[in-house]
Structure formats: structure tokens, C-alpha cells
Amino acid sequence: MKAWTWLACLPFMASAHNLQFDQPLPPVSVSDRGELVLNGERLGERIWGVGSLPGKVRVVQHIAGRSSAKELNAPLIEAIKSAELPRDSYQTVTIINVDDATFGTAPFVRSSAESSKKEFPWSAIVLDEKGRVAQQWQLEPKSSAIIVLDKAGHVRFAKEGALTAQEVNQVLELVQTALAP
């Protein structure tokens, strides 16, 4: 494990965020909309907070409510889908900053998130109407951030902006390592 620890720190050096390696995420909760919950065919919402993250290995994707931000790390999301990670010990969490949507598109952002929740009910999707998470974690606007958390909820990787192909592989390796017994 020591070999990847140093490599995992590299993305932290060039970022403006306040996420710290081997520490939990800064506390924040989202009560304005919050996490989408699927009950049968009906969608509901509940308060979401970082306190719900320990217990599983997670890739947290924080994106501005813009298609350009979503596209930044689409290759990682496709790689995660292809990896068929175990749902009992892994989860993707997508936090959408609806406050950072292009003017007039917020209803479309919400509708797209709801469709994604129905397509991938095991994933967590959080609608952050007021941009609280981006503010608390000091994330760049109009962008995407990828964060890998171990089962204890500690940060193992964090980067804002598009991941390189090498970083996509690194994230997948970190997730696999964290999932190993």
C-alpha cells in the first residue's frame, strides 16, 4: 500500500480544494433537495451528508450542473461501469451543483439526474441546489472533481478537472486496492 500512497498525493498539489489526503471530507450536508431516493417507481428526496459515506469504498463525483462538467470525467464513469464493482462494498456518489447550472437549465439538470437515478438505482445522486458542497470543499466552478474514499471515509485521491487516462487507471487501482480484504 505504501507505493500508491505517494502517487495518490500528487493530484492534491495542484488543486485549490481543501480536501486532505488520509482525512475525512470536510463536513457538509445538503437539505435543499438532497439525495434522490427511489421507492418503487417514485422518486423522493432526503437530506444527504458526508456522515453517510463511511462503510463502503466510494468514488465521489462532484459536478457543476453543466453538460461540459459532466463530460470532463465521463471516461472514468464508463470505466467504473465496465469494472462491475461489487454493489455491497462500492458505490458511486454523484453530487450535482444545481446552483452552477447554465442559466435556465436547472430543470433539465434535475430531470437528467432523476433519469440517471432510475437507470442506476444503486448509485447515490445528490442535487445540491445552493452549491453548499462546492463552497464547503472550495471546489472550482464550472468543473468536475473526483474523490476516492476508502471504507473508513478517508480521502485516497482528489482532483478537480479532467482526469488523464493514467489517472483513470490510478483511480480504478485505488478502488480495487481499497476493496481487497
Side-chain angles (χ1 to χ4, degrees):
M1 268 193 183
K2 294 287 185 190
W4 62 264
T5 303
W6 184 80
L7 288 173
C9 292
L10 289 178
F12 286 86
M13 295 177 191
S15 300
H17 60 72
N18 64 354
L19 310 177
Q20 296 181 20
F21 182 74
D22 204 28
Q23 296 295 314
L25 291 168
V28 64
S29 64
V30 178
S31 58
D32 52 323
R33 295 289 176 145
E35 183 178 357
L36 294 177
V37 180
L38 193 58
N39 296 316
E41 291 296 313
R42 295 190 50 177
L43 275 171
E45 299 162 346
R46 67 177 170 210
I47 296 172
W48 176 89
V50 296
S52 67
L53 296 175
K56 288 186 179 187
V57 174
R58 301 182 201 268
V59 170
V60 178
Q61 174 184 225
H62 182 282
I63 56 175
R66 302 163 180 262
S67 57
S68 59
K70 183 178 180 181
E71 292 167 10
L72 285 175
N73 285 304
L76 173 65
I77 299 307
E78 289 306 313
I80 289 170
K81 289 177 194 174
S82 296
E84 298 181 0
L85 299 167
R87 295 181 191 158
D88 62 332
S89 55
Y90 170 82
Q91 185 180 46
T92 301
V93 178
T94 302
I95 303 168
I96 303 166
N97 184 354
V98 181
D99 189 50
D100 192 1
T102 305
F103 181 76
T105 63
F108 300 108
V109 170
R110 288 185 206 101
S111 177
S112 176
E114 291 168 357
S115 295
S116 292
K117 180 64 180 179
K118 289 178 180 177
E119 185 177 356
F120 305 103
W122 54 86
S123 294
I125 299 177
V126 179
L127 292 173
D128 186 358
E129 295 284 330
K130 297 181 181 174
R132 292 176 197 260
V133 176
Q135 292 167 9
Q136 182 67 18
W137 296 351
Q138 300 174 7
L139 300 175
E140 293 292 322
K142 301 179 184 177
S143 191
S144 169
I146 299 295
I147 306 150
V148 177
L149 302 176
D150 62 19
K151 290 179 185 174
H154 292 161
V155 176
R156 294 288 165 215
F157 176 97
K159 182 182 176 188
E160 295 182 74
L163 272 60
T164 65
Q166 181 181 0
E167 289 167 332
V168 168
N169 289 333
Q170 180 185 2
V171 165
L172 290 174
E173 288 174 18
L174 286 169
V175 168
Q176 293 290 357
T177 300
L179 286 169

